[in-house]
Amino acid sequence: MTASRTEQRKAELRREIVAASFDCFAEQGYHATGIADIATRLGIGHGTFYRYFDNKRDIVEHVIDDLIARILAALGEENAPDAVSTLEDYRLQSARIGEAVANLIGADPRVPRLLLLEAPGVDAELRERVLDFIESMTEVTAAYLAHGVGLGYLRGDLDVVQSARAINGMILGAVIHGVRHHDEDSQATLARAIQRLMYDGIAPR
């Protein structure tokens, strides 16, 4: 029991360090923030910080890793690419995925701000890491489209890779919108607009 409480406290302090780092990055910028700023905000010593993270860049890596893991978890089971077999089911599935991703991002608006605005400016390696993550999501979305094409509920002539990039571009735009506009109504109407554009297009019928 004691060991369990100790582990819980370690996990809690790790989250607190990440949260304090986010606050400092937001207020001062990544490069202007020092470990001393983060430690002072939390009232901990430098040694305590370094027991959890190698440096402030390590925090950014941790956030990206955690976000990727959470997104991939949201794409499992009933939301997996091969989990549906009709267009109506795919509509419902994509709505569930959209809601899950929105909840992940909305839970802490600092995450997309750090990922999209701060991290690419840290160094070239981290910029490529962010771009690789975005490109990997193209492969994931393309798998959903390819499944639909294979079963015939999506157009047979669909360019699944470029269509995946277009869809993800809309989603990325929604995430950027959410960085400045956190209200749920705005995000919900934007999500519906993306869904409608995906399935109905913009030309009159």
Side-chain angles (χ1 to χ4, degrees):
M1 185 68 71
T2 301
S4 177
R5 284 199 297 269
T6 299
E7 291 304 314
Q8 288 176 4
R9 177 52 191 152
K10 286 182 178 179
E12 181 181 345
L13 182 54
R14 186 180 179 87
R15 288 192 295 270
E16 288 174 357
I17 292 173
V18 171
S21 301
F22 273 22
D23 289 338
C24 291
F25 295 159
E27 293 170 10
Q28 304 166 207
Y30 174 87
H31 291 292
T33 296
I35 300 302
D37 299 313
I38 300 168
T40 298
R41 184 176 289 261
L42 278 176
I44 62 175
H46 287 202
T48 300
F49 177 95
Y50 287 115
R51 282 202 295 271
Y52 292 86
F53 296 98
D54 294 336
N55 46 49
K56 62 181 182 178
R57 189 187 185 285
D58 187 31
I59 290 177
V60 183
E61 290 274 6
H62 163 78
V63 170
I64 294 174
D65 288 342
D66 183 65
L67 181 61
I68 292 173
R70 288 173 181 268
I71 289 176
L72 293 178
L75 301 180
E77 298 181 357
E78 65 174 354
N79 289 338
D82 59 355
V84 301
S85 57
T86 68
L87 180 59
E88 183 56 33
D89 285 344
Y90 180 56
R91 283 177 179 262
L92 295 173
Q93 183 192 56
S94 60
R96 288 195 303 270
I97 292 172
E99 183 178 359
V101 172
N103 288 339
L104 285 175
I105 299 300
D108 191 342
R110 295 171 303 179
V111 170
R113 180 181 293 276
L114 178 65
L115 182 67
L116 299 176
L117 302 182
E118 289 285 347
V122 170
D123 56 42
E125 182 181 347
L126 204 51
R127 181 177 65 248
E128 289 304 309
R129 176 78 194 284
V130 173
L131 292 175
D132 284 345
F133 165 62
I134 293 172
E135 189 63 21
S136 72
M137 288 298 100
T138 295
E139 297 176 11
V140 172
T141 302
Y144 287 85
L145 300 180
H147 178 71
V149 170
L151 291 187
Y153 63 77
L154 295 181
R155 287 172 44 177
D157 63 347
L158 192 67
D159 183 332
V160 295
V161 174
Q162 297 300 356
S163 296
R165 288 196 175 101
I167 291 170
N168 286 359
M170 291 191 291
I171 295 172
L172 188 58
V175 172
I176 293 172
H177 173 76
V179 168
R180 301 189 72 179
H181 306 279
H182 309 317
D183 60 291
E184 293 183 5
D185 288 343
S186 177
Q187 289 296 95
T189 55
L190 181 52
R192 287 194 295 271
I194 291 174
Q195 287 272 322
R196 188 171 183 183
L197 190 58
M198 281 177 60
Y199 297 111
D200 303 326
I202 60 175
R205 293 186 174 228

